[in-house]
């Protein structure tokens, strides 16, 4: 066990805390005491640095996966996530947030702040895409959109909401409902929602963690 100001560096991840307990049998190093980590993109054009803060951070030495628990925050560029637990796969640049997760995209230009909540949030930090499932809710300005799942592409400013998707604008009193076989497309830059009658398949396989079937 190490105490004091502890720093751990591996690959593109740097982590710090006030104590580190290492378990040789599991290959886990557990950082606690204001644990924080930064993950730097391979190239500058690959996007933004990922910053993680949590009460505790468990680093798996063998497979570049970290698990953070307790008041977790994740920030990258204009996106900020909050959850009870975060699993971050450094090789896939994939974050999984569970335990009352929310993801906020800061207001930018004439785009209003966007807040997405659900039972589980998965984010590919390099491509800036999100997959949220389980009682999903998107709130932007006076528009609230709900559904079973959402795929959001931050670079294209578009969200695709599937499964009982409904969008309500509290100001204009307009409600947009997706047809049973269709989905809602929400343009977050234009503040526009439209219902489409075709099926939309979220590319969920892109968001699989290592070893997940």
């Amino acid at each position: 066990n190490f105490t004091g100001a502890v720093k751990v560096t591996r690959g593109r991840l740097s982590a710090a805390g006030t104590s580190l307990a290492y378990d040789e049998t599991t290959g886990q190093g557990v950082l606690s005491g204001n644990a924080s980590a930064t993950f730097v993109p391979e190239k500058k054009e690959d996007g933004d640095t990922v910053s993680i803060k949590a009460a505790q951070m468990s680093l798996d030495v063998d497979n570049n996966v970290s698990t953070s628990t307790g008041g977790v925050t994740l920030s990258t560029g204009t996106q900020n996530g909050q959850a009870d637990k975060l699993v971050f796969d450094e090789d896939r640049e994939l974050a999984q947030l569970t335990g009352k997760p929310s993801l906020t995209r800061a207001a930018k230009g004439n785009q209003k702040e966007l807040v997405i909540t659900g039972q589980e949030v998965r984010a590919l930090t390099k491509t800036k895409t999100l997959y949220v499932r389980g009682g999903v809710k998107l709130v932007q300005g006076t528009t609230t959109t709900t559904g079973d799942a959402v795929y959001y592409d931050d670079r294209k400013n578009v969200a695709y909401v599937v499964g009982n998707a409904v969008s309500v604008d509290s100001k204009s009193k307009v409600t947009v409902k997706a047809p049973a076989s269709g989905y809602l497309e929400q343009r977050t830059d234009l503040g526009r929602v439209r219902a489409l009658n075709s099926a939309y398949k979220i590319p969920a396989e892109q968001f699989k963690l290592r070893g997940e079937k």
Side-chain angles (χ1 to χ4, degrees), residues 42-54:
E42 203 164 6
K43 305 188 207 74
K44 250 195 170 147
E45 56 271 23
D46 279 351
D48 301 295
T49 297
V50 178
S51 300
I52 300 164
K53 285 181 182 158

Side-chain angles (χ1 to χ4, degrees), residues 41-194:
E42 203 164 6
K43 305 188 207 74
K44 250 195 170 147
E45 56 271 23
D46 279 351
D48 301 295
T49 297
V50 178
S51 300
I52 300 164
K53 285 181 182 158
Q56 187 172 295
M57 204 172 278
S58 175
L59 303 162
D60 194 315
V61 177
D62 300 322
N63 65 11
N64 292 352
V65 172
S66 63
T67 303
S68 304
T69 51
V72 182
T73 62
L74 173 141
S75 55
T76 172
T78 56
Q79 291 184 2
N80 283 289
Q82 290 185 320
D84 294 336
K85 183 182 174 187
L86 162 71
V87 176
F88 187 68
D89 184 327
E90 294 148 47
D91 297 335
R92 297 190 176 188
E93 304 189 31
L94 171 63
Q96 178 202 37
L97 295 146
T98 52
K100 300 186 281 299
S102 71
L103 196 120
T104 303
R105 187 198 187 284
K108 191 171 136 190
N110 54 3
Q111 280 195 60
K112 292 188 171 86
E113 180 185 81
L114 171 71
V115 181
I116 304 175
T117 53
Q119 281 175 356
E120 180 193 55
V121 174
R122 295 188 182 217
L124 285 163
T125 57
K126 183 175 173 179
T127 57
K128 293 263 192 272
T129 52
L130 295 183
Y131 169 34
V132 187
R133 59 182 179 177
V136 171
K137 192 178 189 183
L138 291 83
V139 179
Q140 187 179 33
T142 55
T143 304
T144 300
T145 307
T146 54
D148 295 340
V150 64
Y151 173 74
Y152 172 61
D153 187 327
D154 196 357
R155 287 186 176 150
K156 292 180 180 167
N157 299 304
V158 65
Y160 302 104
V161 188
V162 299
N164 307 303
V166 181
S167 185
V168 180
D169 187 328
S170 62
K171 193 176 172 189
S172 67
K173 303 286 188 275
V174 170
T175 297
V176 182
K177 272 188 184 174
S181 59
Y183 65 99
L184 291 181
E185 177 198 77
Q186 183 162 337
R187 284 289 301 268
T188 54
D189 52 346
L190 306 173
R192 188 187 74 201
V193 180
R194 61 182 185 145

